[in-house]
Amino acid sequence: MARGKPTILVGITGGIGAYKSCELVRLLQKRGFRVKVVMTEAATRFVTPLTFRTLTGEPVAVSLWADEPESKVHHISLAEEADVMAIVPCTANVMAKLAQGRADDMLTTTALATEAPLVIAPAMNTHMWRKETTRRNVEVLRARGAVFVEPGTGELACGDVGEGRLADVRIIANAIETEALRSRDLVGVHVLVTAGGTQEPIDPVRFIGNHSSGKTGFAIAEEAARRGARVSLITGPVSLPDPFNCEVVRVQTALQMRAAVLARFDTTDVVVMSAAVADFRPAAMSADKIKKGDAPEAIELERNPDILAELGERGSGVLLVGFAAETNEVVTNAQAKLEAKRVDLIVANDVSDPSMGFGTEHNKVYYVTADGVDETPVLGKRTIARDLLDRVAALLQSRKG
Ligand code: PMT
């Protein structure tokens, strides 16, 4: 990711709205951004690359094959340079390719390679915009964290009147600017995130555990890293790949998680405890697999340390965010945890609903602080991660005064 003047990579696809991207490029430059352009072949039928080359003073990428040789593979260097990638206008076809992860030209290859936030401003005929397949593609991309600037209503190039017109370029520029500011708001901040559930062994093959998939914590770690934070992710056993640019520590038990957290706590600015830490562990672990005939009548349990409460007790000035998995009286119980564990913010969720919380892609949460409670609608976990880190960034800012 670029440092210095933020770089916006504007991707232009083949729609009549492509001419409005000229204005967008100028607007972004006026707002202090460096702008680079990547176009599909179809887009060059509407506006020439020369126009954008002249506006930006930068080479315009179109083909994977024909450009001048670069020191680095071109789509990768573009992908890495971008602080934000914005596809304006985005056709139904390119949206479908993005949703499927297809990469068959310079624009889609760069979009797949970049870690930068993606802003998509679709423009198409009303019927295409309303089609079930297009709606699904929008949802898939939203769930992956893409920000959509919805098309407006009006007269379309095809003569129809309805939804599908490219949104006002000032609104698109605002959305891009918001993402660009976000992409740096945690630079210099060390964020420690815990994720997944701990496993407390009974014997070498059995354990006490829970259904946490790690999706929530991994999304938070990934988003924090994307916004410039130094991230340590301490995770219980989950089947997710390491997020980009994070220190990842894989542990099994609550005691191991505690040790990994405490080892990093002194250099940490923010702790987000999204892990489902087991409150109890078997008092003794059998060295060998317990045979069916030798099964004990009961397993004696011992209390695990409460990692978050221990951090709260220290009163260290580190910003502490806890989660609360509740099945009833969600807010009241979360408020009690906020106080008992002496944390700044509790993200409470109702885990009695099997469609949300543990293992799912979506969740609905309550942000509980000493100042009050904010309730969200059902959102993708990446959107929750983004929203939560907006709140963390604001809290850090208010502490600075
Ligand atoms: O991983 P996913 O599938 O995406 O699921 C997400 C989630 C449901 C696990 C997540 O949204 C969530 O609710 N995480 C917290 C689960 C939990 O342990 O809640 P709790 O109410 O029991 O604990 C309250 C807080 O204390 C939590 O921040 C927890 O990490 C912490 N804790 C709990 C016990 C313990 N021994 N030590 C702790 O630090």
Side-chain angles (χ1 to χ4, degrees):
M1 187 175 288
R3 290 289 162 248
K5 214 174 187 182
T7 299
I8 311 298
L9 180 62
V10 177
I12 302 169
T13 72
I16 183 63
Y19 82 91
K20 294 190 186 166
S21 299
C22 302
E23 200 188 329
L24 176 71
V25 166
R26 292 312 286 255
L27 209 53
L28 291 170
Q29 286 172 325
K30 277 191 199 149
R31 293 186 187 191
F33 297 110
R34 174 183 179 218
V35 183
K36 296 194 86 170
V37 170
V38 53
M39 302 174 79
T40 60
E41 291 281 353
T44 66
R45 305 280 179 134
F46 291 89
V47 187
T48 67
L50 181 61
T51 307
F52 290 108
R53 191 184 182 125
T54 309
L55 287 173
T56 61
E58 304 267 3
V60 172
V62 179
S63 166
L64 280 167
W65 314 110
D67 295 339
E68 298 147 23
E70 298 255 338
S71 55
K72 212 169 175 191
V73 181
H74 197 180
H75 62 274
I76 300 298
S77 62
L78 278 176
E80 285 176 356
E81 266 180 292
D83 286 287
V84 176
M85 181 167 183
I87 305 185
V88 185
C90 189
T91 59
N93 177 47
V94 169
M95 219 153 61
K97 285 195 205 174
L98 296 174
Q100 288 170 10
R102 287 177 63 186
D104 60 359
D105 61 14
M106 185 56 126
L107 187 148
T108 49
T109 308
T110 308
L112 191 61
T114 193
E115 290 294 320
L118 191 61
V119 175
I120 298 177
M124 65 196 72
N125 166 274
T126 305
H127 303 291
M128 292 167 83
W129 174 244
R130 289 198 185 146
K131 267 278 153 59
E132 166 77 27
T133 41
T134 305
R135 309 308 317 149
R136 231 187 352 247
N137 291 334
V138 170
E139 283 322 306
V140 166
L141 290 165
R142 266 214 183 101
R144 277 191 222 138
V147 172
F148 274 82
V149 185
E150 299 268 331
T153 303
E155 200 176 324
L156 304 173
C158 57
D160 284 359
V161 175
E163 253 178 309
R165 254 164 89 113
L166 185 68
D168 187 301
V169 286
R170 279 162 307 183
I171 297 176
I172 299 172
N174 290 349
I176 293 170
E177 195 170 358
T178 303
E179 290 311 307
L181 294 177
R182 239 194 211 129
S183 75
R184 288 157 181 239
D185 62 357
L186 294 177
V187 170
V189 178
H190 184 189
V191 179
L192 190 156
V193 183
T194 65
T198 63
Q199 294 179 353
E200 311 298 326
I202 297 166
D203 69 15
V205 299
R206 304 180 180 96
F207 58 84
I208 297 173
N210 60 66
H211 297 295
S212 173
S213 63
K215 284 177 190 165
T216 300
F218 275 59
I220 296 166
E222 196 171 276
E223 175 71 11
R226 202 205 287 211
R227 290 160 77 150
R230 176 182 151 210
V231 179
S232 301
L233 172 65
I234 320 289
T235 178
V238 295
S239 56
L240 298 173
D242 287 3
F244 190 62
N245 260 344
C246 296
E247 177 204 17
V248 181
V249 184
R250 294 190 185 259
V251 298
Q252 186 189 7
T253 65
L255 289 178
Q256 290 165 0
M257 184 168 277
R258 174 181 176 272
V261 169
L262 293 184
R264 286 158 185 80
F265 188 64
D266 288 344
T267 62
T268 299
D269 302 293
V270 179
V271 174
V272 182
M273 286 286 305
S274 72
V277 186
D279 287 313
F280 302 97
R281 64 177 183 274
M285 176 190 157
S286 164
D288 295 312
K289 182 180 170 194
I290 300 169
K291 297 272 179 289
K292 218 183 277 178
D294 300 336
E297 298 249 308
I299 296 173
E300 195 191 329
L301 297 176
E302 216 166 63
R303 197 177 266 280
N304 269 329
D306 188 317
I307 306 167
L308 185 58
E310 207 174 320
L311 302 182
E313 244 167 58
R314 293 187 173 203
S316 57
V318 172
L319 187 80
L320 296 180
V321 179
F323 271 63
E326 305 296 340
T327 54
N328 66 319
E329 304 282 347
V330 178
V331 171
T332 311
N333 287 330
Q335 281 165 330
K337 278 179 186 164
L338 181 82
E339 226 168 278
K341 302 198 185 203
R342 295 187 225 178
V343 299
D344 299 279
L345 167 64
I346 286 275
V347 185
N349 50 171
D350 183 348
V351 291
S352 66
D353 180 344
S355 71
M356 286 186 287
F358 283 109
T360 58
E361 296 301 328
H362 292 84
N363 207 350
K364 170 184 166 63
V365 302
Y366 302 82
Y367 295 106
V368 180
T369 64
D371 295 331
V373 180
D374 275 350
E375 180 180 348
T376 71
V378 177
L379 298 169
K381 286 183 175 174
R382 293 185 69 143
T383 308
I384 291 174
R386 188 174 354 181
D387 191 24
L388 170 60
L389 290 173
D390 284 351
R391 287 162 195 270
V392 164
L395 284 169
L396 287 174
Q397 201 55 41
S398 72
R399 280 183 173 192
K400 276 191 200 158

